[in-house]
Amino acid sequence: MNKSINLKQRPVGTPTLSDFEFEELDDNLTISDGEILLESNYISVDPYLRGRMSDAKSYVPPFKVGEPISSGIVAEVLESKNEKFQKGDFVTGLLEWKEQQISNGEDLQKIDKSKAPLSAFLGIVGMTGLTAYLGLHEIGKPQKGETLVVSGAAGAVGSVVGQIGKILGLHVIGIAGTDEKIEILKSEFGFDHGINYKTTEDMKSAIEAAAPNGVDIYFDNVGGPISDAVLFNINQFARIINCGAISVYNNTEIPMGVAVQPFLVKNSALMQGFIVSNYADKFPVAMKQLSAWLGEGKLTYKETIVEGFENTPQAFLDMMDGKNKGKMIVKV
Ligand SMILES: NC(=O)c1ccc[n+]([C@@H]2O[C@H](COP(=O)([O-])OP(=O)(O)OC[C@H]3O[C@@H](n4cnc5c(N)ncnc54)[C@H](OP(=O)(O)O)[C@@H]3O)[C@@H](O)[C@H]2O)c1
């Protein structure tokens, strides 16, 4: 029986399994002209999905209660009546959390599995790799010798940001939530320093010690108190890439923190919100560079792969809770 995973109710605070429901669907799917039948292979679980589970206004519309959740998915074409796709092709794009589904193929990209493993198209050669590359370049404007701090450093986006920083000759400091992750940052991703925010009492001083010349670029994936501590250490003309704020995604009230304005004024610093889809015209250039670095062995990546479609909601909850190293993906 084909199944979907739907949003059962809008989570209040931290989501739980009871916010999701499974629905049994007709598995006798018949395609019409222009359509393709897809079988999901890999599902991406991402922090931004938390925002779509609420009904607050954002850059993407909220999910509807009682309807399937959607995210980046890699799928195989089982049947095609669309001239752009053939049976056996693999595609990626925004699809619904269903084992099988029909699509008209719009906004789906064919992927070449000889270029990278299928799952990588949801991470390093997909949305999160592009986010790392474009956020760092377009807003961070990195210059050799500068100091880069990355929060959420051992995750999908953060681990790539730090590695690109090293390729470009920056001094790179990563902030993450376990000692094991800090070790991985240094031994596998080449970061110069790592700070475990869960065991460090004085984050402001820890950042100061790791960045004796101050912080020129802050790639912010988490917001909240970690980012407040970074602000105390920024240099003149620092650039802050406001990529994500996972530390406050489950808040039920507007989060309060340090007022940023005096830090920005005093340092002539830039803080800018970043949404990767606003840079779609730059995807081909970014993808070419990411693929080249991967091929040359300058860039590596980690995935935490959870097996089984039925475990997708738990994988999402675990990612929000920091159980992933690198990109969290479900193998259907
Ligand atoms: N703007 C865009 O276009 C765009 C695109 C993609 C992603 N993003 C954002 O980038 C960020 C990272 O996304 P990702 O896909 O790479 O996820 P990820 O980093 O792979 O996974 C999320 C990580 O967040 C950390 N985390 C959870 N709660 C935290 C807290 N209270 N304080 C600090 N860290 C916490 C956890 O690691 P620890 O163990 O270290 O806590 C967890 O592993 C998210 O904020 C996401 O919304 C933005």
Side-chain angles (χ1 to χ4, degrees), residues 47 131 155-157 177 181 197 221 243-244 247 249 274 276 319-320 322 324:
T131 300
V157 173
K181 288 186 181 184
Y197 72 93
N221 284 315
C243 175
S247 76
Y249 287 171
F274 172 84
V276 66
M319 177 279 303
M320 293 296 288
N324 58 311

Side-chain angles (χ1 to χ4, degrees), residues 7-72:
L7 181 66
K8 187 175 178 196
Q9 59 197 10
R10 299 202 183 282
V12 179
T14 304
T16 65
L17 283 182
S18 60
D19 297 321
F20 303 87
E21 66 185 357
F22 288 81
E23 185 183 348
E24 296 201 338
L25 305 170
D26 182 8
D27 57 356
N28 204 1
L29 298 174
T30 313
I31 53 171
S32 307
D33 282 348
E35 292 182 333
I36 49 179
L37 174 63
L38 296 172
E39 182 166 71
S40 301
N41 291 165
Y42 291 95
I43 299 177
S44 176
V45 288
D46 304 272
Y48 81 95
L49 301 178
R50 175 64 186 90
R52 297 195 68 189
M53 290 172 194
S54 304
D55 60 2
K57 187 168 172 264
S58 186
Y59 62 98
V60 269
F63 294 124
K64 292 191 177 135
V65 173
E67 292 193 10
I69 291 172
S70 53
S71 69

